[in-house]
């Protein structure tokens, strides 16, 4: 004796094959929908976990430090090339070196550019030692400006260049002096007093350069 399909309470009779198929299809559809929602939630949780690992778990390390310029090494190379002493500014605690290089051309120039180390200090000073040059070379760097005065710093006589307007390199003040066959020019965007103080610190080296030539 074959088993009869169960009677569905809400129908009061057994399901027809079509109704059974429709019920199973609806169940499958609902099941797939619930699985998709669960998968979405699971994917979101996994994504958040990965982001958290990246943010909190990956070592950050230390911030990259500024590249320190080895002025002494560069200066030694320049001295070897030019076969004469070059001026090496003393940075102390106040200054940091931004650039140091030998610039070639009709006149070779050893340049060291310094800026204050403190964030609340502004400006810069470039020390330029022009080899086999005199004061006539300076206007090439100072937009054609000629000396406006002279002053004595550290027992040496210096040309003073007070620029009425800043040059394209933001230079507003400069002083220069002869050192044997070379001309030493300090130019930048510092006050006259600050520049004079810096120039005085270079006088012993300037005398050494003068005596060597």
């Amino acid at each position: 004796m074959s088993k009869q399909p169960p009677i569905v309470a809400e129908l009061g009779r057994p399901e027809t094959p079509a109704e059974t198929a429709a019920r199973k299809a609806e169940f499958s559809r609902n099941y797939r929908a619930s699985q998709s929602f669960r998968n979405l939630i699971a994917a979101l949780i996994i994504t958040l976990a990965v982001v958290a690992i990246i943010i909190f778990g990956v070592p950050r390390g230390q911030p990259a430090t500024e590249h320190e310029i080895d002025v002494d090494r560069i200066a030694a190379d320049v001295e070897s090339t030019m076969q004469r002493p070059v001026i090496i500014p003393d940075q102390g605690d106040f200054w940091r070196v931004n650039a140091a290089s030998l610039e070639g051309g009709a006149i070779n120039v050893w340049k060291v550019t310094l800026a204050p180390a403190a964030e609340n200090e502004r400006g810069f000073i470039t020390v330029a030692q022009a080899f086999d040059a005199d004061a006539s070379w300076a206007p090439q760097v100072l937009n054609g400006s000629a000396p406006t005065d002279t002053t004595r710093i550290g027992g040496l006589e210096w040309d003073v260049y007070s620029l009425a307007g800043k040059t394209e390199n933001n230079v507003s003040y400069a002083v220069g002096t002869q050192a044997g066959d070379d001309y030493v020019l300090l130019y930048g965007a510092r006050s006259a007093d600050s520049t004079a103080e810096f120039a005085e610190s270079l006088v012993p080296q300037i005398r050494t350069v003068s005596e060597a030539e």
Side-chain angles (χ1 to χ4, degrees):
M1 183 175 179
S2 63
K3 184 177 178 181
Q4 295 295 321
I7 294 175
V8 179
E10 57 269 25
L11 296 177
R13 58 175 174 75
E15 285 181 323
T16 65
E19 290 172 336
T20 299
R23 176 172 57 79
K24 290 182 178 181
E26 180 66 19
F27 176 81
S28 297
R29 185 166 56 253
N30 292 337
Y31 179 78
R32 286 194 300 271
S34 66
Q35 287 297 97
S36 297
F37 181 74
R38 290 191 185 95
N39 291 340
L40 176 61
I41 296 299
L44 288 174
I45 292 173
I46 292 172
T47 300
L48 291 175
V50 171
V51 171
I53 290 172
I54 293 174
I55 294 175
F56 300 108
V58 176
R60 285 290 189 274
Q62 297 297 323
T65 57
E66 292 185 2
H67 176 64
E68 185 175 346
I69 298 174
D70 190 344
V71 181
D72 291 337
R73 180 188 61 78
I74 300 172
D77 291 341
V78 175
E79 287 181 333
S80 177
T81 299
M82 301 304 301
Q83 294 295 301
R84 67 181 73 183
V86 299
I87 294 171
I88 307 172
D90 181 11
Q91 301 174 52
D93 295 327
F94 185 82
W95 299 100
R96 71 173 189 276
V97 174
N98 283 354
S101 64
L102 175 65
E103 294 187 358
I107 294 178
N108 294 311
V109 184
W110 160 241
K111 284 187 178 181
V112 182
T113 299
L114 305 97
E119 293 184 358
N120 61 340
E121 289 282 351
R122 295 291 181 268
F124 71 95
I125 291 179
T126 295
V127 181
Q129 180 179 350
F131 300 105
D132 299 314
D134 55 24
S136 63
W137 164 80
Q140 299 178 37
V141 181
L142 305 175
N143 281 11
S145 298
T148 55
D149 199 357
T150 60
T151 187
R152 290 195 70 80
I153 302 173
L156 300 179
E157 183 170 302
W158 295 73
D159 301 316
V160 177
Y161 303 81
S162 296
L163 284 70
K166 290 184 177 180
T167 69
E168 60 183 9
N169 295 323
N170 294 322
V171 176
S172 58
Y173 185 76
V175 294
T177 191
Q178 198 69 36
D181 293 334
D182 303 342
Y183 191 76
V184 177
L185 181 69
L186 277 60
Y187 61 94
R190 293 288 294 179
S191 68
D193 288 343
S194 177
T195 304
E197 181 180 356
F198 187 77
E200 188 168 5
S201 72
L202 301 179
V203 168
Q205 293 189 68
I206 292 174
R207 293 189 185 280
T208 298
V209 171
S210 298
E211 293 167 0
E213 298 180 353

